């Protein structure tokens, strides 16, 4: 007996999750079967692949038990793929969440027999050094399917997974493992056995598990709920991948994906004349990858009972329209189409050496194409007839025949010529069908396929094929190949061109990165972007050029109103231009045509060819964003939603501000800092601060360079990067010394104190905060800065265990803030006192203070404060047994931190789950 996929689980929870997920998908309970005196579950046929589950018999027995189960399953079922599904521990609760799915690109196996204690009494690990890679075929399937996964169900992370026999439930042990493998995304116990058994049996394998705990000594907390959630998520993702990719064993006969097209030949090449008397002029096709969905649509459209004349394949240049049409032609059954005719209106092609004209096979218009079709039909005398009579004569010649006509690249025809062709095709005799390719979209009586980029796994298959004759591409890593996919946006022509430049005679490109960089500025006679987009430049209207120039600034879909404003057009005029460009497959739009996206390389080409138009829209963009940020930025928390709503336009403008005048850039950074910091845009804050500091230094602007170093340090503090915080503290102090900005010295010392607090050196942090406080008091005894320093000091004192000192300094900070009517400070310090009361287990005081803090946070529209104090209030209420009251606050905290992408999200989720668990226990 054999199957395509064997799913392995290690615990009963994992097995039940797999069975439940498949039952929900099929509507039928899965029944056990006995094979070689062992129990398995036949999960059915998924996307043509037979799938079985190995019944859990090992508990959590680690590599040895899992190896035995996998080996027995492989012996009994001979699967081509083995997938281990289940639960794992996470590494970083600030960046990961319970239920996040981990997919193994590699495993790290540590020798569990040799885990002991060092002379100092610390746990000690000796690594084997084994880092086996999961099957590249399966990894490609999973990464491709992930593009179509509903991210709201659970996040999916690909990376290195730790695996070993020892149960990891100790922070020191976990962190020691993490120190050895800093890129690890999680860990578990059974993957090593999966790898060994699969390797021994030469079977493809991959491990898919979801996070159920943090290996921090708290596995028992909500254990059942967390494990069920994790097991369900991992099983659901595996089922999703099975439905997206073809896992069927290619060595076994299986039902064709193409309806009504049996007996598909194993190789795509077809002889010019087949044994059944049929004839084909289709070009040979050495390889073809993917496009199963599109081939199915074409197959349906070419069935005899289909009422249209065939299929129009449209899409941008190089996307694979011709290859798809030829592949569909080869697959079309001879009993339906004994006659297959290929005609091409292509006038040029792209080769490794550059663009080449096609002079020998030109079909420049409709009449020449009809005349060539007549010759293919053996009706050469039609060429001697009057041009306006030929179409009818060819149609008569087709009567009674079963012909498939493939016509390639008709965008080279003028509009009138294309209309004549579509009229001819609409009158094809019964039994005849056509496949037409074009870069231009049309509404016609045919099935229309808007061809998009290759899926990731399809593109990687193409690269694997190309690497057979290219040693430089063969050496490229998996990551580099994914980078190539991202750069080319999955365009097969661009992928092939980049590969062709690697090692080509006269080329300096030896790596994918070098070839991609070369593509951005390739010479005119070897420019794939010119080949794809060049002939369209002169066809753009002024409005089309304007909206394209506006879109070059966006890296994500942009709304019509944004594009219209940057293009200087009315909304209706911009909408018309955008829809016309989308119809020519130059833009990607949503279904409602309310947002549009210009592929990155098209944007590169437009910047090169229409710099004036791009510069004009760039000026409008920066002016609009500057005014928006000046009006809604700085400390105006209540206006931050305005910035969030317009975030895509702000993100588009960031590179332009960095290219512009230094003074304006620094004012922009000042206005944006609080919004970026408290709205969770930390990547943008980090990048903007780094580059703006460099710009200020180049201009000799040490004052602003110091502020940018300080803001960069704050972003590192938020991320928990201790050493970077301290480096920034030193740097901003040195820069302010150069600027003679003595008033800022306390700010630099404060940042140093935050760094010490982060590394848990509380005495050093207290000293730094006291020093900063003293400096602020030399300037003014009572100020916002003095209150802020007292708050910092109290926080460090609390962490050091000196609760009396912490309460004293929090209260003094609160008194000063109230005196100065500093609402933000009053809210912050009140909330910190609530947290201190919570730690003292003074639940009633914590509740009162937290309620006040939430209300104050709402008054000043500080979302992160609202979320933080809602968490504290939920805990205070729960500890008083008022669980029903606690739930709304816990849910609100999760909602706030989710929107802000806050590191506190994991904490809020734990609070919510504890409240829900308490409610369930109370009800039972």
């Amino acid at each position: 007996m054999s199957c395509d996929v064997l799913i392995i689980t290690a615990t009963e929870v994992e097995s039940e999750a797999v069975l439940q997920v498949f039952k929900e998908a099929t509507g039928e309970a899965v029944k056990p079967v006995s094979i070689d005196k062992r129990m398995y579950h036949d999960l059915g046929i998924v996307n043509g692949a037979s799938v079985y589950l190995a019944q859990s018999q090992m508990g959590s027995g680690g590599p040895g038990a899992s190896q035995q189960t996998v080996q027995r399953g492989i012996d009994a079922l001979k699967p081509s793929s083995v997938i281990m599904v289940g639960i794992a521990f996470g590494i970083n609760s600030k960046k990961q969440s319970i239920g996040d799915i981990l997919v193994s690109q590699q495993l790290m196996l540590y020798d569990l027999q040799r885990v002991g204690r060092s002379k100092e009494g610390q746990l000690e690990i000796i690594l084997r050094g084994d880092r086996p890679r999961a099957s590249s075929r399966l990894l490609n399937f999973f990464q491709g399917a992930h593009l179509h996964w509903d991210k709201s169900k659970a996040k999916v992370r690909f990376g290195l997974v730790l695996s070993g026999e020892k149960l990891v439930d100790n922070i020191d042990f976990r962190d020691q493992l993490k120190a050895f493998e800093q890129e690890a995304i999680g860990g578990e116990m059974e993957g090593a056995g999966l790898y060994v058994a699969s390797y021994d049996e030469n079977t493809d394998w991959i491990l898919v598990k979801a996070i159920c705990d943090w290996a921090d000594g708290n596995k028992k907390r909500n254990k059942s709920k967390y494990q069920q959630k994790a097991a369900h998520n991992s099983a659901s993702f595996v089922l999703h991948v099975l439905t997206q990719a073809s896992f069927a064993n290619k060595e076994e006969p299986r039902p064709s994906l193409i309806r009504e097209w049996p007996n598909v030949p194993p190789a795509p090449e077809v002889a010019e004349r087949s044994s059944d008397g049929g004839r084909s002029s289709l070009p040979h096709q050495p390889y073809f990858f993917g496009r199963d969905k599109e081939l199915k649509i074409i197959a349906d459209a070419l069935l005899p009972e289909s009422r249209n004349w065939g299929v129009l394949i449209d899409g941008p240049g190089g996307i694979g329209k011709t290859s798809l049409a030829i592949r569909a032609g080869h697959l079309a059954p001879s009993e339906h189409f004994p006659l297959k005719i290929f005609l091409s209106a292509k006038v040029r092609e792209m080769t490794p050496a550059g663009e080449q004209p096609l002079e020998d096979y030109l079909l420049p218009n409709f009449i020449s194409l009809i005349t060539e079709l007549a010759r293919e039909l053996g009706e050469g005398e039609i060429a001697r007839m009057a041009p306006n009579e030929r179409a009818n004569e060819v149609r008569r010649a087709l009567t009674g025949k079963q012909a498939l006509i493939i016509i390639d690249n008709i965008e080279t025809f003028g509009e009138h010529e294309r209309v004549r062709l579509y009229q001819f095709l609409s009158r094809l005799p019964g039994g005849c069908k056509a496949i037409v390719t074009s870069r231009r979209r049309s509404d016609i009586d045919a099935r229309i396929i808007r061809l998009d980029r290759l899926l990731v796994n399809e593109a990687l298959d193409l690269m694997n094929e190309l690497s057979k004759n290219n040693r430089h591409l063969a050496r490229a890593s998996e990551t580099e190949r994914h980078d190539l996919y991202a750069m080319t946006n999955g365009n097969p022509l661009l992928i092939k061109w980049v590969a062709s430049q690697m090692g080509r005679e006269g080329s300096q490109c030896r790596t994918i990165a070098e070839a991609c960089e070369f593509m951005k500025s390739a010479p005119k006679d070897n420019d794939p972007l010119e080949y794809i987009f060049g002939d369209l430049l002169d066809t753009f209207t002024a409005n089309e050029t304007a909206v394209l120039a506006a879109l070059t600034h966006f890296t994500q879909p942009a709304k019509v109103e944004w594009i219209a404003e940057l293009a200087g057009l009315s909304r209706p005029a911009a909408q018309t231009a955008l829809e016309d460009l989308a119809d020519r497959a130059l833009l990607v739009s949503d279904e409602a045509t309310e947002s549009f996206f210009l592929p990155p390389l098209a944007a590169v080409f437009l910047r090169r060819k229409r710099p004036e138009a791009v510069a004009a829209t760039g000026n409008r963009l920066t002016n609009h964003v500057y005014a928006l940020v000046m009006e809604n930025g700085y400390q105006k928390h209540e206006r931050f939603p305005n910035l969030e709503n317009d975030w895509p336009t702000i993100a588009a403008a960031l590179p332009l501000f960095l290219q512009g005048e230094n003074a304006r850039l620094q004012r922009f950074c000042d206005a944006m800092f609080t919004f970026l910091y408290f709205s969770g845009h930390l990547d943008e804050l980090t990048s903007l601060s780094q580059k703006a500091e460099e710009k200020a230094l180049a201009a000799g602007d040490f004052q602003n360079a110091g502020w940018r170093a300080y803001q960069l340090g704050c972003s590192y503090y938020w991320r928990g990067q201790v050493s970077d915080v301290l480096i920034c503290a030193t740097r901003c102090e040195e820069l302010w010394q150069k600027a003679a900005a003595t008033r800022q010295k306390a700010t630099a010392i404060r940042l140093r104190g935050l760094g010490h607090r982060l590394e848990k050196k509380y005495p050093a942090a207290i000293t730094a905060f006291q020093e900063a406080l003293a400096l602020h008091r030399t300037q003014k005894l009572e100020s916002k800065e003095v209150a802020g320093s007292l708050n910092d000091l109290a926080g460090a004192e609390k962490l050091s265990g000196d609760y009396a000192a912490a309460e004293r300094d929090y209260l003094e900070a609160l008194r000063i803030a109230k005196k100065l009517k500093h609402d933000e400070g009053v809210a912050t310090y009140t909330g910190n006192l609530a947290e201190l009361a919570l730690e003292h287990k003074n639940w009633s005081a914590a509740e009162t203070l937290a309620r006040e803090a939430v209300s104050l946070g709402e008054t000043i529209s500080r979302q992160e404060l609202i979320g933080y104090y809602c968490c504290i209030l939920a805990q205070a209420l729960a500890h008083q047994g008022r669980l029903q009251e606690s739930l709304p606050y816990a849910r609100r905290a999760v909602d706030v931190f989710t929107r802000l992408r806050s590191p506190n999200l994991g904490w809020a989720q734990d609070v919510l789950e504890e409240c829900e668990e308490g409610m369930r226990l109370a009800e039972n």
Side-chain angles (χ1 to χ4, degrees), residues 342-360:
F342 181 82
L343 302 169
S344 177
K346 185 178 290 188
V347 297
R348 58 202 176 105
E349 66 179 357
M350 195 70 192
T351 72
E355 185 179 320
Q356 301 294 332
L358 294 174
E359 300 174 349
D360 298 327

Side-chain angles (χ1 to χ4, degrees), residues 826-838 842-858 865-877 880 889 892 907:
V826 173
T828 301
Y829 311 146
T830 302
N832 288 344
L833 282 165
E835 187 174 23
L836 190 64
L838 192 70
N842 189 343
W843 315 129
S844 177
E847 176 193 349
T848 301
L849 288 164
R851 284 189 188 278
E852 184 181 356
V854 170
S855 177
L856 290 165
E858 290 170 337
L865 291 185
I866 293 170
Y868 202 92
Y869 301 141
C870 276
C871 250
I872 293 173
L873 180 53
Q875 288 177 294
L877 290 167
Q880 297 177 72
Y889 294 104
R892 187 178 182 188
W907 169 51

